[in-house]
Amino acid sequence: MRAGGDSVLIRYLARRALHAVLLLFGVSALSFALVDLAPGDYFTDARLNPRISSETVAGLRGEYGLDRPLPVRYLRWLRSAMAGDLGVSLAYNLPASALLAPRAGNTLLLASSALALAWLAGVPLGWWAATRKWPGRILSFAASAALTIPELLMAVMASIVAVRTGWFPAGGHLALPALVLAAGSMPVVIRHTRAAVLEVVDSPFLVAARAHGISEGRLVFRYVLPAAANPLISLAGLSLGTLLSASLLVEVILGWPGLGPLLLEAVYARDVPVIVGSIVISAVFLMLGSLVADVALYACDPRIRVEA
Amino acid sequence: MRVKSGVLCALSGALFVALCPGEELLVSHSAKGRRDGRLTVALRAEPKTLNPLIAMDLPSRDVIGRMHADLISIHRQTQLTQPALAKSWTVSPDGRRYTLHLRRGLRFSDGHAFDADDVVFTLEAFLDEKTHSPQRDLLIVDGHPLTARKLDAYTVLIELPAPYAAAERIFDGLPMLPRHILEKPFREGKLAEVWRLNTPADGIAGLGPFRLKQYQPGERLVLERNPYYWQEDGSRQRLPYFDELTFLFVGSEDAQVTRFAAGETDILNRVSPRMFPQLAAGQASRGDIVSDAGPSLEYNFLVFNLSPAVKPTWFQQTAFRKAVSMAVDRDSIVRLVYGGRGAPMWGNVSAGNRQWSNSNIPIPVRSLSQARDLLASAGFTWDSGKTLRDRTGKPVEFSIIVASSNTERVQMATIVQYDLKQLGMKVQVASLEFRSLVDRVLNTRQFDAAIMGLGGGDADPNSEMNVWLSSGGMHVWNPGQKQPSTPWEGEIDRLMRAQMSAIRIKERKQQWDRVQQLIAENVPMVFLASPHVVVAARKWVGGFAPAAMADYTLWNVEELFHRDN
């Protein structure tokens, strides 16, 4: 039975991996084409330098292959991606992967710190809100209100607070962007936890368990949370993706050396390999988040194993 | 501990000087500090490379400029040339042969000796077409490259294919490279691949005041003192004073000001004049040094598309362009866009250009009635709704494109739109992404009018040949003409070529003055305003001497010091 379950899981993972490859192929081709649609290229900037002639700019475009047709450039990028380089950055003259790797690590560190903060605080608060009538409703309302504040505004406010109080460095430190991102995603965690617990808390099996005299603490950890876990696990997978996209903006404002500042600069500079590489890496993060959530669901919920 | 390391440094420095008796150091008499401390400066973006041969972006050039040195440099305040690695030079009577005498006994930051071979190699590397150096064009005169020949270990002869006025200025910003490191990759055709950001610090050597210490991707780049730097102060202390120079990568101007206010950076190397009030608050509360260094070399302008194919032909009429110029309220632009810290412009040379601005160009008084008279004399009429119409009855409507990333120019466009409405013109402002704008103006030519900005490089007119020659790729109103399409453009072509080869400065000035006059009379561009250079430093930064030319505050970085030390 166990061996059969494992092979099901392996088949599932293989199917997901194949989907991932196809998706990454599509994402990279589409982003390559979309960036190409915008007028100008990396060397357009040099055209406004009176000390650089048009001939020199044309020579540079040729040197970097920008005068080739789009499919040729994409295939060249694809070959480089297969080799793990993700193309050569036009601005940095370095393999895009060498630029993206340390920054992607920083973005992941920021997103996972924020995720941990949001969940460590959000789940107990959500559970507390589900078990208290009016305080719970007030907290739920406050969480809904907090959802309307965009991370962008929170980051600007955090930056002002940092300068005024001196409690945090105004830029370049993990604490401030992690707090901003955690504050941005915590209301969702609180609301979902509250809803999931409320759904379980009055269910017949819990009433029966209570009637058997099982302690409240054991009830929560042994029965309530596992039963409420499914939507929360799915949410956690999605949260990682949401946090990653929100972190790009927050990184720019609060000076965290992640993918955000690099991507923004690459977009302005039309550094195609870095843009496409960033998008591909973000897509990989998203898919991994969702995959981890799916595997966790598979491990936690026997019904899914049976259906599989 | 700190005192100990300072003493050790001083001793090693003294030992080095004693071992190199023939070392011809440049004595800086304006430097009066003490060697110690760290300086932190924000960069608007991360540098892209540490390779001077291929660097195009400003942050890279800001960093490279501190790690390398040139033969002759331009003093950023006087805007005149001064000796650097070349202690002196002579020019042949025909202006084609420059004999440069190098300082003796100098060393690169790795301790290797510098001599004429490095100079010859550097010029060869920059000129090699395979290198694709954006600076190559500076070394091409009259379509041919200059040549460099070693006369002895410390003398180099530079020969120009044609007389070229102020040729010594081309050496500013042309860093001398270490042949002992770069010759091998050069011969292998791999010069563009060297000195990337991930190159180990000991793989890079230069003659600048600092050398690479550490690079943290996305965050900072740290330089440390070059112990072999070739300048000393009056008390024989070798420069630079600071032990370390750190560049923090701070993406936006607002964030730069925020982090300066938070005490995380020590110098703001030029920000928009609109930031001045915010900085002045810091001046009052923390005693920061906030300086307005006056008009920059940058000039902002409205340019019409004068390509022959453009219909209708209003823009081709000088009276139309003059009327537009007369209607534009430049004082409002300076007041509203730059908070009063800018200079209105009527000609193509900013008041910040001390040597070359033509002060005789008449300052036109803004007059809507005179503008209307001009339009009426050119056959334009107004209907009952006060809409301006041309001879055929067509209403005068056009669009102005402007880069969306430049809020100041977007504001200018809005002011111009309002001013031209007073003349009955219907103007639409379209904000475009910067590269799209450049593409439309210089490539596809699909635009009516644009607001742009140029300048900021060298003060010398030769640096803008590409703008003013009718054949130039940056002759923005009608680029790349085979023959000048108007007599006045023909005259500008002749004058620009003449001033380029004139040897006497007075003769050049007369020719360039005439070019400015022709531009003011024919109004191919409506010049608007030049922003002031606004900079700031912490109160303890000594030797702070901001200039209107780039690199505004860091041009004398070796002379900056910590006052409290």
Side-chain angles (χ1 to χ4, degrees):
Chain A
M1 183 64 196
R2 184 37 116 185
D6 285 350
S7 72
V8 167
L9 182 63
I10 289 166
R11 271 209 306 279
Y12 170 72
L13 289 177
R15 205 164 55 235
R16 286 292 292 262
L18 182 68
H19 285 168
V21 169
L22 290 174
L23 191 67
L24 289 179
F25 180 75
V27 162
S28 63
L30 195 65
S31 46
F32 214 96
L34 285 175
V35 176
D36 196 68
L37 278 178
D41 60 36
Y42 174 71
F43 293 105
T44 305
D45 207 9
R47 288 291 312 273
L48 266 195
N49 185 338
R51 301 169 117 191
I52 304 178
S53 69
S54 317
E55 293 75 27
T56 300
V57 176
L60 283 164
R61 292 186 77 247
E63 172 73 7
Y64 285 85
L66 296 183
D67 53 353
R68 306 269 179 84
L70 176 67
V72 176
R73 277 180 285 136
Y74 179 65
L75 285 176
R76 197 172 152 185
W77 179 86
L78 209 55
R79 264 200 304 276
S80 167
M82 302 284 190
D85 282 349
L86 293 173
V88 175
S89 161
L90 301 167
Y92 291 80
N93 199 24
L94 274 172
S97 57
L99 287 167
L100 292 164
R103 291 163 178 87
N106 287 338
T107 294
L108 206 55
L109 173 68
L110 173 63
S112 47
S113 306
L115 194 70
L117 272 176
W119 282 76
L120 285 174
V123 170
L125 281 172
W127 174 77
W128 183 83
T131 53
R132 306 281 187 287
K133 196 176 177 188
W134 280 107
R137 283 182 185 171
I138 291 168
L139 184 63
S140 179
F141 177 77
S144 304
L147 272 177
T148 61
I149 306 173
E151 276 93 351
L152 181 74
L153 185 62
M154 277 199 264
V156 172
M157 282 160 56
S159 165
I160 293 168
V161 170
V163 173
R164 293 262 163 94
T165 61
W167 292 343
F168 300 100
H173 195 272
L174 177 64
L176 210 55
L179 280 175
V180 166
L181 284 174
S185 58
M186 203 191 303
V188 183
V189 180
I190 292 173
R191 283 180 58 81
H192 275 76
T193 309
R194 180 173 178 266
V197 172
L198 277 177
E199 205 168 289
V200 176
V201 88
D202 291 328
S203 57
F205 80 91
L206 217 60
V207 175
R210 225 177 243 124
H212 277 85
I214 298 174
S215 71
E216 201 61 26
R218 190 172 155 74
L219 266 181
V220 169
F221 289 104
R222 182 71 184 86
Y223 298 103
V224 177
L225 285 180
N230 275 14
L232 296 182
I233 290 171
S234 307
L235 177 68
L238 283 175
S239 290
L240 187 67
T242 324
L243 270 176
L244 281 168
S245 31
S247 72
L248 298 184
L249 262 180
V250 173
E251 284 172 359
V252 171
I253 294 165
L254 294 174
W256 178 249
L259 284 175
L262 184 73
L263 176 60
L264 183 72
E265 209 183 292
V267 168
Y268 280 138
R270 296 268 206 288
D271 194 350
V272 181
V274 175
I275 299 173
V276 178
S278 302
I279 293 171
V280 165
I281 287 181
S282 301
V284 168
F285 283 163
L286 268 175
M287 287 187 291
L288 281 178
S290 142
L291 183 68
V292 168
D294 286 354
V295 172
L297 275 178
Y298 180 89
C300 292
D301 192 339
R303 288 170 298 179
I304 293 176
R305 287 202 292 274
V306 170
E307 279 165 23
Chain B
M1 187 64 195
R2 193 163 212 175
V3 175
K4 247 186 197 171
S5 67
V7 170
L8 278 176
C9 266
L11 282 175
S12 60
L15 182 69
F16 174 74
V17 173
L19 289 174
C20 307
E23 210 183 10
E24 291 180 318
L25 299 184
L26 175 72
V27 180
S28 165
H29 292 288
S30 54
K32 293 179 178 71
R34 236 192 71 186
R35 284 158 57 110
D36 198 9
R38 294 182 171 87
L39 186 73
T40 305
V41 185
L43 280 183
R44 197 71 51 88
E46 197 164 344
K48 306 296 174 288
T49 178
L50 298 174
N51 184 341
L53 289 150
I54 59 165
M56 281 202 296
D57 59 300
L58 276 177
S60 297
R61 304 202 70 77
D62 279 342
V63 174
I64 288 168
R66 315 288 80 80
M67 294 170 65
H68 296 274
D70 26 40
L71 293 169
I72 296 168
S73 65
I74 296 171
H75 189 284
R76 266 30 184 189
Q77 287 187 318
T78 64
Q79 298 177 359
L80 300 173
T81 51
Q82 61 181 10
L85 296 172
K87 62 183 176 187
S88 63
W89 62 91
T90 55
V91 189
S92 65
D94 64 357
R96 292 176 57 171
R97 290 155 64 92
Y98 279 69
T99 307
L100 306 179
H101 304 281
L102 309 180
R103 292 178 195 282
R104 289 164 187 267
L106 305 193
R107 287 171 188 276
F108 284 95
S109 56
D110 63 352
H112 200 280
F114 162 73
D115 62 21
D117 286 328
D118 295 300
V119 177
V120 174
F121 167 75
T122 299
L123 290 168
E124 191 186 355
F126 271 102
L127 278 165
D128 187 38
E129 283 182 284
K130 290 197 288 290
T131 309
H132 290 288
S133 173
Q135 279 178 282
R136 182 176 185 271
D137 292 332
L138 292 177
L139 307 175
I140 306 290
V141 177
D142 208 20
H144 300 283
L146 54 75
T147 57
R149 190 152 53 89
K150 173 184 171 182
L151 297 183
D152 64 45
Y154 295 104
T155 313
V156 179
L157 176 69
I158 307 283
E159 287 184 286
L160 306 172
Y164 186 77
E168 67 270 20
R169 294 183 85 91
I170 63 180
F171 294 110
D172 178 83
L174 195 76
M176 289 300 111
L177 304 172
R179 188 174 70 113
H180 64 283
I181 295 179
L182 296 180
E183 186 163 34
K184 187 168 177 278
F186 175 59
R187 302 294 168 215
E188 291 169 355
K190 293 179 177 169
L191 212 43
E193 294 166 30
V194 302
W195 292 1
R196 295 163 164 178
L197 285 171
N198 58 0
T199 303
D202 58 6
I204 302 178
L207 289 154
F210 293 93
R211 62 185 182 187
L212 182 64
K213 183 179 179 188
Q214 187 195 17
Y215 162 64
Q216 282 175 264
E219 203 177 344
R220 67 184 65 213
L221 187 139
V222 184
L223 304 181
E224 64 180 3
R225 177 189 292 125
N226 170 8
Y228 306 101
Y229 190 54
W230 46 276
Q231 288 193 43
E232 63 180 6
D233 65 11
S235 49
R236 303 214 61 189
Q237 276 191 110
R238 194 178 286 256
L239 301 178
Y241 290 124
F242 280 112
D243 297 334
E244 281 184 11
L245 171 64
T246 299
F247 290 100
L248 280 189
F249 313 142
V250 185
S252 71
E253 197 167 76
D254 293 298
Q256 285 199 351
V257 173
T258 303
R259 293 184 76 169
F260 178 75
E264 292 172 24
T265 59
D266 304 320
I267 281 183
L268 276 175
N269 190 30
R270 192 177 178 191
V271 289
S272 160
R274 73 191 160 86
M275 296 289 183
F276 194 89
Q278 206 174 329
L279 296 174
Q283 187 175 27
S285 60
R286 295 184 301 269
D288 295 338
I289 307 165
V290 180
S291 174
D292 179 341
S296 62
L297 301 187
E298 175 187 327
Y299 53 95
N300 292 286
F301 55 86
L302 169 73
V303 61
F304 290 106
N305 185 349
L306 301 191
S307 297
V310 171
K311 299 280 184 249
T313 55
W314 313 315
F315 306 146
Q316 307 281 353
Q317 300 175 45
T318 310
F320 179 88
R321 301 194 300 270
K322 277 188 172 171
V324 168
S325 177
M326 211 165 262
V328 171
D329 188 351
R330 293 169 175 85
D331 289 335
S332 289
I333 289 177
V334 168
R335 197 176 64 252
L336 298 171
V337 177
Y338 296 132
R341 297 192 179 276
M345 289 186 74
W346 299 273
N348 58 318
V349 180
S350 154
N353 192 333
R354 291 156 194 259
Q355 199 181 353
W356 294 103
S357 179
N358 182 356
S359 53
N360 293 324
I361 290 180
I363 299 172
V365 179
R366 183 189 184 232
S367 169
L368 290 173
S369 62
Q370 282 183 38
R372 286 193 191 98
D373 291 346
L374 263 173
L375 289 168
S377 68
F380 290 88
T381 53
W382 286 266
D383 64 16
S384 55
K386 294 185 180 172
T387 299
L388 184 68
R389 292 181 180 274
D390 67 8
R391 279 180 200 280
T392 64
K394 191 176 165 58
V396 175
E397 292 180 12
F398 61 91
S399 63
I400 296 176
I401 56 172
V402 62
S404 55
S405 54
N406 192 314
T407 47
E408 290 164 347
R409 287 189 198 133
V410 174
Q411 287 173 335
M412 283 181 203
T414 312
I415 294 170
V416 169
Q417 180 187 37
Y418 175 80
D419 290 339
L420 298 188
K421 194 179 170 189
Q422 314 299 308
L423 295 182
M425 298 182 191
K426 190 175 175 188
V427 176
Q428 282 155 353
V429 174
S431 301
L432 297 180
E433 192 272 328
F434 177 70
R435 279 176 163 73
S436 304
L437 176 123
V438 177
D439 190 59
R440 282 194 184 211
V441 173
L442 296 181
N443 293 339
T444 65
R445 303 291 293 164
Q446 289 176 341
F447 75 107
D448 297 329
I451 287 186
M452 302 172 75
L454 285 174
D458 188 10
D460 193 89
N462 281 354
S463 67
E464 291 203 337
M465 291 296 287
N466 206 8
V467 178
W468 304 117
L469 286 182
S470 60
S471 57
M474 281 197 59
H475 193 71
V476 279
W477 63 89
N478 188 10
Q481 299 173 39
K482 295 216 167 24
Q483 293 293 324
S485 54
T486 60
W488 56 270
E489 282 174 285
E491 191 179 350
I492 289 177
D493 283 1
R494 188 184 58 73
L495 286 163
M496 287 305 290
R497 291 199 174 97
Q499 70 79 30
M500 194 172 83
S501 54
I503 303 300
R504 286 172 49 240
I505 186 90
K506 195 175 166 191
E507 193 185 346
R508 288 190 74 205
K509 175 79 170 106
Q510 282 170 352
Q511 288 157 339
W512 181 230
D513 277 354
R514 175 67 184 144
V515 169
Q516 291 177 60
Q517 193 186 344
L518 284 167
I519 292 166
E521 283 169 7
N522 293 284
V523 205
M525 296 148 125
V526 177
F527 298 97
L528 302 173
S530 174
H532 284 190
V533 172
V534 171
V535 297
R538 311 224 78 82
K539 65 177 176 183
W540 50 258
V541 177
F544 191 59
M549 270 181 84
D551 334 280
Y552 315 103
T553 60
L554 297 181
W555 65 275
N556 68 333
V557 69
E558 64 275 10
E559 293 177 348
L560 302 181
F561 62 96
H562 201 304
R563 272 185 216 280
D564 301 339
N565 290 335

